[in-house]
Amino acid sequence: MKQKSLSKRTIALAMAALMAAATMSGCSTGGKESKNPSETTKKETAATAASEAKAGQAPTGEIKPCTIKFRYWADNTDYSQLMQDIIKKFNEENGKGITVVGEESPWDGGAYSENLFNTKMGGGDVDCATWKLTSTPLFVNNDLLADLTPFIDAWDKKNDIDENIYNIMVEAGDMERIYVMPWNIQVLYVYYRPSVFKQAGIEVPKTYEEFLQAIEKCTLDTNGDGKTDIYGFGMRGAKGGQEPWGSFIYGRGGSFKDLTTPEAEQGMQDFIDIYKKGYVPPTAVSDGFSEIIANFQSGLTAMTIHHTGSSKDMEKVFGDDVSAFPFPAGKGQWTSMGDTETVIFNSCENKEAAFEWVSYLAAGEGQKMWCEGTGNVPVSKSIQASDFFQNNRFMKASIDGQGYAGIVPILDTTTEWISSLWPNTVSQALTGSITAKQCMRTLQDGLYQ
């Protein structure tokens, strides 16, 4: 099923809400917004730029000295300083007279994207920014983003980024063009305890079937009292659980394109079975991120699914007795990819210079500095190949999974589907109120209504 971008009604409602928020909050976005008749001229310029971008004009290769205004968020003060260091290094070494001016804006629970939308609709002069894929349809449908396809096609480091990553960028936009520049990712993998695997007499699973068997075999009564002391898998049944769950669906050959196929239903049945057979904690139906991590770190579970963001804490708890492997292949293979990218806006008058900057973050020294400093997974193959990442078992598992990583389809319905429909429906299936078939029909209808 072809994914659709935001409907006109949704766009209109979103714009109304966002503009209302801008009215109430005044200039809280921090951007330079038009307060005079020149606003009309800026909007006309943006519309012309949008038309030219959709025509797919090839870059000229000419870059004149200019200033590029770059908006970003940083999760903490260390990351903020790191970004300023990267900007400083680029400005000193690009040799083309490009000066990037970094403007930090708080993430604020996602309000960053709303504020950025307000800024651009109001004629704000931000040239490029850090990004989340979920914002792409709204901005694309309002002609705010530059088409990066011709720039990437002409880029000498295009092949340094896995084709699957580009495909995800295309899916997030209009299914034809790349509006989003890859930067860094988080790829879900399976954490496991080598000592428990040894106790269960198994090796790291190489196939989906072996993974299901490993879950069963790692469910152990270690003291012979007839009670389970270690559960094979830490299942996340609450909000956010759709990401690891998706790997089970694809493992049987299903996909998000149609959740009602026999293969997708079988993947759901596998999910139900490991719960009913007692291979996961009884609390799995309501377990969220905090619970699955706590259960793994306490030794209650032998395996669970997350990404490098939790790896340092895992090593603090277990030392060498924790490792990771990419979710194994069955008839299909998939794992969830978290994302942070960059974009260039149509209103940017120096797109080639802006591309120099975002490509520096994607495959230049900026990529190396950021990913080494934050622990995020680089998208550049050459950076991935360095000892810093290859010698880290968690990074290695992430990199090995990037070729089949993906995202839940970005649709009008996605937010509600993730936050409410998925956890409520899967809970009913796990507890036996509905069948796997009924569960998948409800999830299909809710996502693609």
Side-chain angles (χ1 to χ4, degrees), residues 101-376:
V101 176
E103 176 191 86
E104 185 171 338
S105 181
W107 175 249
D108 193 19
Y112 168 92
S113 299
E114 297 176 2
N115 292 338
L116 189 57
F117 182 79
N118 288 336
T119 297
K120 296 312 299 177
M121 291 300 292
D125 57 356
V126 178
D127 295 305
C128 52
T130 53
W131 197 250
K132 285 291 184 182
L133 287 176
T134 49
S135 300
T136 309
L138 179 61
F139 281 69
V140 167
N141 280 283
N142 282 277
D143 294 326
L144 294 174
L145 301 185
D147 176 10
L148 301 183
T149 311
F151 292 92
I152 291 172
D153 286 344
W155 185 33
D156 61 356
K157 293 185 178 180
K158 176 184 179 181
N159 294 331
D160 197 34
I161 295 176
D162 193 281
E163 184 178 1
N164 181 52
I165 304 299
Y166 290 126
N167 290 339
I168 293 171
M169 304 299 108
V170 171
E171 290 174 10
D174 62 2
M175 303 297 289
E176 296 179 9
R177 288 166 279 264
I178 301 174
Y179 294 96
V180 182
M181 188 70 175
W183 180 23
N184 59 90
I185 56 178
Q186 302 85 38
V187 180
L188 294 193
Y189 51 68
V190 184
Y191 278 114
Y192 76 100
R193 296 281 307 286
S195 62
V196 178
F197 272 37
K198 183 177 181 180
Q199 188 173 357
I202 62 172
E203 302 292 334
V204 171
K206 302 298 184 184
T207 68
Y208 176 68
E209 287 287 357
E210 289 180 359
F211 175 64
L212 294 178
Q213 293 168 11
I215 291 175
E216 178 181 358
K217 292 179 179 179
C218 285
T219 301
L220 302 170
D221 172 10
T222 59
N223 57 14
D225 66 355
K227 298 179 181 179
T228 299
D229 300 301
I230 301 175
Y231 293 92
F233 181 64
M235 175 186 287
R236 183 173 178 174
K239 181 181 177 181
Q242 77 283 344
E243 294 180 338
W245 167 86
S247 295
F248 288 81
I249 305 308
Y250 277 76
R252 284 296 186 188
S255 77
F256 281 113
K257 293 180 179 179
D258 185 354
L259 295 171
T260 64
T261 65
E263 293 81 6
E265 289 175 7
Q266 182 56 57
M268 183 66 232
Q269 189 61 55
D270 292 340
F271 208 65
I272 293 171
D273 288 345
I274 62 175
Y275 175 80
K276 285 189 172 181
K277 292 178 180 179
Y279 301 155
V280 302
T283 57
V285 171
S286 59
D287 282 349
F289 167 71
S290 297
E291 289 76 18
I292 64 167
I293 297 301
N295 287 341
F296 186 79
Q297 291 182 343
S298 70
L300 185 64
T301 57
M303 290 181 280
T304 198
I305 294 178
H306 198 236
H307 55 66
T308 55
S310 55
S311 61
K312 288 184 179 180
D313 287 339
M314 293 298 187
E315 286 185 306
K316 287 180 181 178
V317 173
F318 295 115
D320 291 334
D321 191 23
V322 60
S323 195
F325 58 87
F327 198 95
K331 290 183 179 179
Q333 191 174 23
W334 184 89
T335 191
S336 179
M337 186 194 84
D339 66 286
T340 311
E341 301 85 15
T342 57
V343 292
I344 299 173
F345 296 105
N346 265 331
S347 59
C348 176
E349 296 179 357
N350 301 285
K351 292 183 179 64
E352 303 227 10
F355 188 78
E356 281 288 312
W357 166 240
V358 298
S359 63
Y360 180 80
L361 291 177
E365 183 66 15
Q367 168 89 164
K368 180 176 183 293
M369 290 175 66
W370 183 260
C371 292
E372 287 187 359
T374 63
N376 286 315

Side-chain angles (χ1 to χ4, degrees), residues 259 411-418 421-422 425 439-449:
L259 295 171
L411 308 170
D412 295 357
T413 56
T414 302
T415 299
E416 176 66 20
W417 190 87
I418 288 173
L421 185 66
W422 186 89
T425 306
C439 175
M440 298 305 272
R441 169 49 64 186
T442 299
L443 294 177
Q444 174 75 10
D445 291 346
L447 189 60
Y448 293 106
Q449 63 185 358

